[in-house]
Each structure stands twice: as structure tokens, then as C-alpha cells.
Amino acid sequence: MVSCMMRQSDEKHILGTASTEILLWSSRRDLIAVSNSSGEVFLRRLSWSKVWKLPKTGEDVKVTAIVWRPDSVVLAVGYSSGHVVLVDVESGEIVHTFNPCGEPVTALSWENSIASLNEETDNFLLPELLPQPPKVNSTKLDIGSTAEGDKGLKNEELLSLLWIGLKNGLVYGYAFGLFPCCLLKLSELSGANGAVGAVRSICPNGDHSQLCILADLRAGRSEVLLMTVETPLITHCLKELYGLGILYRQITELMDCLTNAQKALQEAWEDALVDLESKMVRYENNDGQSSLSVDLMELLMFGHAGIKLEKFLVTDLTDKGLKRIGQAVELSYSNMQKLLIKHIVCANYQLSHYLTQLCGLAKQEDRFSCLGLQVNLCLAAYRASGSFTAKTAELQQVIDGSIKYLKTFFRWLYVTILRLSDEAIPPELATSTQQDVRFIANFLAKDFETDGQVRLDRIGQYLRNEPLASIASSKTRPWDLLAEACPSITYLQDSDLFQPRPERSLAQEFAHLEQQVRASFEAIPSAVGQTASLSFMTSLTLDGPNDSLDRIKTTTRSISQPKDRCNLIGLTNSATPCSGFYLFEFASEKERKNLTRAAFFSFRRCENLPPGEYKLSDIQFYNNEIMSVLLLTEESTTSVFLQLSLALLREQLTPIVQSNLRSIEVNSFIEANSFRVFNDFQATALGLSSSRKVAAIFSSSKRKVRIFDMEVEEEEDVEDEDQDIEDVSDLSHATEISKDGVNQKDISDVDMAVSP
């Protein structure tokens, strides 16, 4: 027996301009995620107080799907631009962003596997994970700052898979919401030759061996496909995917750390030397006959400066200008050294460690070759990491040498300018040694110019994604020094040997590293997807025009009980309000794996309800036993919230034969205490959470939302009480579709004012 025991706990009046498009309760917390037509996402508590706001990502970019991670620690948001954003629920910070292929996201589903893998994987694959290196804020350089690890991406005991449906009929699977491990091409699986359109709903079973998918057909009609896709390789390789997912997560975080450190290097690099170089180039271009390096060498050797050089030093450079440039360059190079040592070197060493682990997994070909993990690609990524390490060490040597040369050179120029200006020279700068003179002479003769051009800055070229204009001497490259000290190393043919290239910049080596790391995982989604097969498919023609398919209400439920394992999909027969809904049951048990049952449930006759002609406004599974339905009379004067027994509904389902579905009147399943009538409230959309025992019901005027406590022991009639509660909140107008097919209310960014 189903009873509708509910008590109103709150009512809000809603103001705003943007309309709500998605509303989704958390299954673990008293939190609700809401998106609006402006592309913003809000997280609210049960009392509707705002926790945080995620701003829109761009003009005309809409939020198309929202899903909670099973433990409610992370919220995934899909956009019409094709981006998927993972947000830490505690802080509201974006912890990861990716775009599968640029197509708009149309469906999201995130489910755990039913088996725990922690004990098995501890003894199976991976050593203890290393602590994350300190992170640097690239927007505000703070060398000493460190950030805590991403709380939202902490290790999980269960392997969870985020399934992403796209507008072009592709379905991607991401382990932990990060690691792309499966790609399903529905057009190829169904043999429809590109006729499969937007994916509307994805419902995986408990062990991810089966996906029930609802997708549009591009036939110019209101026709949808319901299909069951078998993914046996995912079930067979859960432990392997868990290990790869952990490694991918660590590698991705380290690559993000390196990317931020690279940006910080760019910001730390001081371009004051570029201005100084341009002044020196103008000196040489004035008459085209003299060379600044020659004039400076004569000044150093003979102590005599020509009229032109004296004017250049005293007027153009000046002692104060040179001192300012010297201090800026010294600070800049010092910061760059700290970034290299504290962030880049540390993160790259850890990256090499995890890439070594990845190579070890790839060499277990009996377990990982079927997943598309290739040894040669993993080794290439490991070698790229080694080359990046060698280039980092080379840059450190170049910075050390530049600081030494430039400090000595600038000190000599500064003293020279003071002498030419007849100014007092500080005692600590008054004397210089013969070694200093030889050092400066060597600098002017070999390093002051490159190909006839003044080149004081040797660092900036390492930060540009182009070949080096001035290649460092082999005596300053640590790898070459090692090869010179151990000549036998050059004869090694081991593919693990690092192969640094002298002509490449640090930015080029990092780009190469990114490319190789990406390539090592690139083949996995297709390899797993190619093992998938289609076990069931049927088409269904709905009422209404083809462009109304995105307003069809859908709801899914995966039941994983010992004696009852199945996936349920409910969908309306047209854009709401409509005359009824379809209910499909996809069996997951081995003995009835390919059995699919369905029926159409009509609300044309509802004699057990108050008199009136009823239309269906919204549907949603409340739990494994109850389906919740929202009805509205054709005159829009009365609304009914109805609870239906899923057990009774499922008893009426019959096997599908040539797409002919049995039509059943719902009237006989309506029990005396299974509904709640709203005479003063025209309800059109609902949001439910059985775990939190709460419901949100929205009015047709899009100006009210009522919150109800569900499963109360005694129902108290509070509808007639004068609750003039005004809520100037972040909610706006209600629109229709959501991820679970829920019409909802929007939340604008205005603080709430609730009056008693």
C-alpha cells in the first residue's frame, strides 16, 4: 500500500529574470543544485540559503545537465559548449574541466560500481601515492604559497563512472569523472548510419556491464531509440581501470601543476633586459660603423670611451637606470630559480615516478593490452619526462651563468658611468680584480652578441614555444657532461634512455611531454568501446513535432537488489502536459538479461481522483518502490501530487513485440491515501529526494515553490494557513527540462528575505 504522507515545511515567492532549467537534490546531503537559463549554477541548502554560485562560462552557453558524484562530494555540470566542469561541493571551486569532443552535453549519469576494490588494488598494482608538490598561483606570483590537495578528487574506495551523452550520439565514460575509459558510438552500434541524435538519458546497472540509453532519431519525426548496450570489458577489468584511473588522476594533477608553474615562469621573467637590448641595438644602428661590443672592449682594455659611447652610457643608460635594471633582473632570475627548484623539478620527478608505474602496467600485456594501453607509447611519455628534466637542469645552469655574468657586467658599467659623470664611487665598488676583467672580456667576446645582434637575455628564449636562438654550450648542459664523463653511455641502445635535444626550448619540451602523456592514454576509450555490443533496441514514436523532443520528461532508476536487478526508464509520450507515460524495464540478471518489458500508462480516466480531466505535468522515481506523478486539470485549476506503486506498475509490463506496447489506465492503481490535492496551487514541476525525504513543487505561475517533508507520521493541513513568506532569492522563473526530467525553479543571485 502506498500512502502520500507529506507536510508543507516552507513556501517561497520567487523574483528574478532568468528561468530555472535544472534542479537536482543530493542523495547524501541537504543540498540542492540549481541552474538557470543564464548559464549559472547555484548550490542551496534545504532552507534555500545559498552556499555558492558558479558563474556562467560564456555568452549563449547554457547548462544542459547536472549530476552529483555518488558520495555528493563533487558536482558535475555539463554545458552546451561541450565542456564538463567538476566542482568541489565544499568550496565551490572548479577542480577539473574537460571537453570530450566539442559537442553539446545532453545527458550525465554518475554511478558507483557495486564491488569495493580497495583491498584488491592495494596488493595488485600501485605503490603508496606520493604527496602532492606545492602549487603556485599563476595569477599572483607567490613562490612560498602552497595549496592543499584537491579535496573533491580524493581517492575513492569504489570505482565510479561518469557517463556523458552528447548531441551527436556519442557516449563517453570517465572513471572517477577524470579518466576517459570508454567511447560508445551509438550510430555504429545501432547500424543507423549516423541517424542517432542527442542522447537524452543514460542508466548504467550496478557493475557497469550494461547501459540503458534513450536517444533521438534524426528522421524528421518525433522518434526516439531505446537501447541496451553491453560493456563486458568494463566489468571484466574493473581492477585494471581502477588502477589506471588512480594513475591518470595523479598524472593529470601533476601536469596541471607544471602548466601553472610554466605560466608563473612567464610572469616572473623580467623583460627589462629586452628594453636594454633595444637601446644597445639603436646605438649600433646610428651610424652603422661602430660595434658596441668593440667599443666596450676598448673601454675595458684601455680605459678610454669615445664621445659616442660616453654619451650613450651617461645619457641613455644612466647610473640610476642601470641600477634599476640590474635589481629587476636579479629579482626576476632569483624567482625563476625558486620556481624551477620548488615546483617544476619536484612535480616532474613525481611525474616520472608515475609514468614509470604506467610503463610497468603496460608491460603486463595479459591484463592491459585489451584496454589499449601500449608499452611503446608509455615509454615515449617517460622519455619525454626525462628530456624535460634535462632541459630544466639546463635552464638552471643558464640562469646561474646569466646572473654571474650580468652582475659582474652591470657592476663594471655602473662604476664606469659614475666615473664618466665625475660622481663618487662607493668604496665597495671602487676596486676590481684581474679575474673580473678577464670575466667581462670573455663575456663581451663570446656571449654579448649572437649573429651580430646584442643578446643579453638568454632566458626568455627557453620560455617561448620555438627553437632556441642561442644554444647553450655543451659544457653547461648536465646531460652532455654526464655523457662526456661516461663515454660508454652513448653506446646504450636501451629505449628508456633519455634523449634531450639541445635546440629545443623548455616550452617545446613541455609541449612534447603533454603530447606524449596524452597519447599514452588516447587509445583506451576506443579500445573499450569497440568491445561493446547492442543487445536490445526499439524505436518509439512520440506525439508532437520533432523539435519538442528536448521537452520530453524522462526519469531513470537503477535497482540493484539481490533478487531484483534491473534498470527502469520512464518518459512522457509528448511534451508536457501530456496524456500519460511509458515505463520500460531492462533486466540485468543473467538468466533474463535480454528481457525488456514495457507498457504505456494513461491518465485519461482518473475516477479515483477529484472530478476533472487530468494531464501529466511531471514524473520522477521517488525510490525503488514508488513513482511520483504530478497532474494538472485541463482547466489548470487543480493539481494533484500522486504516488504510484512501482510493484503494481511493473506487474503490468509485458515483453516488447514489434514496438507494440500495451496501454493501461492508471485509475485502478490509485489508492485512497496515495495523493495530495492542491486547489490553490497550480503545480507543474517537482524535485524529489527519497534519502532526504523532501520534495519541492513549483507552481505554473513560476512565482512559487513549496517545500514538503515526505513520509511524515501524521499529515498536518498547513495549506490554509496564511504563510506570507516572500523570498527575494536566487530563484527565477521555472522552465521545464532537467536531467531527471524535472520542471524547476531558477535561483538568481539576490539574497533571500523571508518574512514570518
Side-chain angles (χ1 to χ4, degrees), residues 118 276 284 585 669:
N118 237 14
L276 181 58
E284 296 190 346
E585 177 192 87
F669 308 115

Side-chain angles (χ1 to χ4, degrees), residues 223-240:
E223 194 171 3
V224 294
L225 274 181
L226 287 108
M227 60 186 73
T228 303
V229 179
E230 305 292 334
T231 54
L233 188 58
I234 292 180
T235 306
H236 179 70
C237 298
L238 278 179
K239 291 184 291 185
E240 287 79 3

Side-chain angles (χ1 to χ4, degrees), residues 340-513:
L340 284 169
I341 296 171
K342 189 174 181 179
H343 298 279
I344 294 182
V345 172
C346 180
N348 193 50
Y349 280 166
Q350 289 199 17
L351 179 64
S352 299
H353 168 76
Y354 289 122
L355 290 175
T356 303
Q357 303 301 324
L358 184 65
C359 293
L361 298 186
K363 291 179 180 179
Q364 301 180 45
E365 296 185 357
D366 58 325
R367 313 189 77 157
F368 290 91
S369 61
C370 61
L371 295 175
L373 192 65
Q374 302 177 30
V375 178
N376 59 330
L377 295 177
C378 296
L379 288 174
Y382 175 66
R383 289 196 299 269
S385 176
S387 298
F388 183 72
T389 300
K391 188 60 66 173
T392 302
E394 178 184 327
L395 179 56
Q396 287 180 269
Q397 295 290 332
V398 173
I399 292 177
D400 287 339
S402 296
I403 291 177
K404 187 186 303 182
Y405 277 115
L406 291 175
K407 284 183 68 174
T408 307
F409 178 62
F410 284 168
R411 175 182 173 179
W412 171 70
L413 276 185
Y414 179 71
V415 171
T416 300
I417 293 174
L418 291 179
R419 285 175 176 167
L420 293 174
S421 304
D422 295 329
E423 295 185 12
I425 300 174
E428 63 273 12
L429 302 178
T431 59
S432 61
T433 65
Q434 192 66 29
Q435 183 179 1
D436 292 337
V437 174
R438 286 198 301 267
F439 196 76
I440 297 171
N442 186 63
F443 170 71
L444 292 174
K446 297 181 178 179
D447 298 322
F448 186 76
E449 292 182 344
T450 302
D451 298 329
Q453 295 290 327
V454 176
R455 292 282 185 245
L456 293 181
D457 176 52
R458 306 279 174 165
I459 312 302
Q461 59 177 347
Y462 283 86
L463 308 180
R464 293 187 286 268
N465 193 15
E466 59 187 38
L468 297 177
S470 176
I471 299 176
S473 169
S474 60
K475 294 183 178 180
T476 61
R477 295 197 296 267
W479 183 256
D480 291 338
L481 294 175
L482 175 63
E484 183 179 347
C486 306
S488 59
I489 198 174
T490 58
Y491 300 104
L492 293 178
Q493 299 299 320
D494 190 354
S495 59
D496 292 345
L497 190 65
F498 298 156
Q499 299 173 354
R501 293 172 174 82
E503 71 280 0
R504 281 187 176 178
S505 65
L506 185 72
Q508 283 183 307
E509 289 288 6
F510 183 67
H512 178 64
L513 173 60

Side-chain angles (χ1 to χ4, degrees), residues 404-638:
K404 187 186 303 182
Y405 277 115
L406 291 175
K407 284 183 68 174
T408 307
F409 178 62
F410 284 168
R411 175 182 173 179
W412 171 70
L413 276 185
Y414 179 71
V415 171
T416 300
I417 293 174
L418 291 179
R419 285 175 176 167
L420 293 174
S421 304
D422 295 329
E423 295 185 12
I425 300 174
E428 63 273 12
L429 302 178
T431 59
S432 61
T433 65
Q434 192 66 29
Q435 183 179 1
D436 292 337
V437 174
R438 286 198 301 267
F439 196 76
I440 297 171
N442 186 63
F443 170 71
L444 292 174
K446 297 181 178 179
D447 298 322
F448 186 76
E449 292 182 344
T450 302
D451 298 329
Q453 295 290 327
V454 176
R455 292 282 185 245
L456 293 181
D457 176 52
R458 306 279 174 165
I459 312 302
Q461 59 177 347
Y462 283 86
L463 308 180
R464 293 187 286 268
N465 193 15
E466 59 187 38
L468 297 177
S470 176
I471 299 176
S473 169
S474 60
K475 294 183 178 180
T476 61
R477 295 197 296 267
W479 183 256
D480 291 338
L481 294 175
L482 175 63
E484 183 179 347
C486 306
S488 59
I489 198 174
T490 58
Y491 300 104
L492 293 178
Q493 299 299 320
D494 190 354
S495 59
D496 292 345
L497 190 65
F498 298 156
Q499 299 173 354
R501 293 172 174 82
E503 71 280 0
R504 281 187 176 178
S505 65
L506 185 72
Q508 283 183 307
E509 289 288 6
F510 183 67
H512 178 64
L513 173 60
E514 284 185 308
Q515 179 184 357
Q516 294 301 323
V517 169
R518 195 182 308 115
S520 61
F521 292 98
E522 203 167 29
I524 294 177
S526 297
V528 175
Q530 288 172 1
T531 64
S533 60
L534 190 68
S535 59
F536 171 82
M537 182 178 68
T538 186
S539 61
L540 186 65
T541 301
L542 305 177
D543 299 334
N546 186 44
D547 58 3
S548 67
L549 287 178
D550 58 348
R551 299 196 301 275
I552 299 296
K553 301 300 179 65
T554 64
T555 180
T556 63
R557 190 80 182 181
S558 179
I559 300 177
S560 299
Q561 297 176 354
K563 296 183 179 180
D564 187 14
R565 296 185 60 208
C566 67
N567 292 335
L568 299 175
I569 293 181
L571 69 151
T572 58
N573 65 328
S574 69
T576 54
C578 60
S579 60
F581 68 91
Y582 294 95
L583 180 61
F584 288 83
E585 177 192 87
F586 302 88
S588 298
E589 294 116 327
K590 293 182 179 178
E591 55 270 15
R592 57 189 191 99
K593 187 82 169 181
N594 297 322
L595 178 61
T596 301
R597 305 189 302 159
F600 177 73
F601 295 91
S602 173
F603 290 92
R604 296 185 186 278
R605 292 174 54 250
C606 297
E607 298 173 356
N608 294 334
L609 295 176
E613 297 292 330
Y614 289 95
K615 291 290 187 179
L616 175 63
S617 294
D618 205 355
I619 58 172
Q620 187 174 340
F621 291 109
Y622 180 68
N623 54 29
N624 290 348
E625 291 81 30
I626 297 175
M627 171 174 274
S628 299
V629 178
L630 202 57
L631 302 175
L632 186 67
T633 59
E634 288 191 348
E635 297 82 11
S636 299
T637 57
T638 302

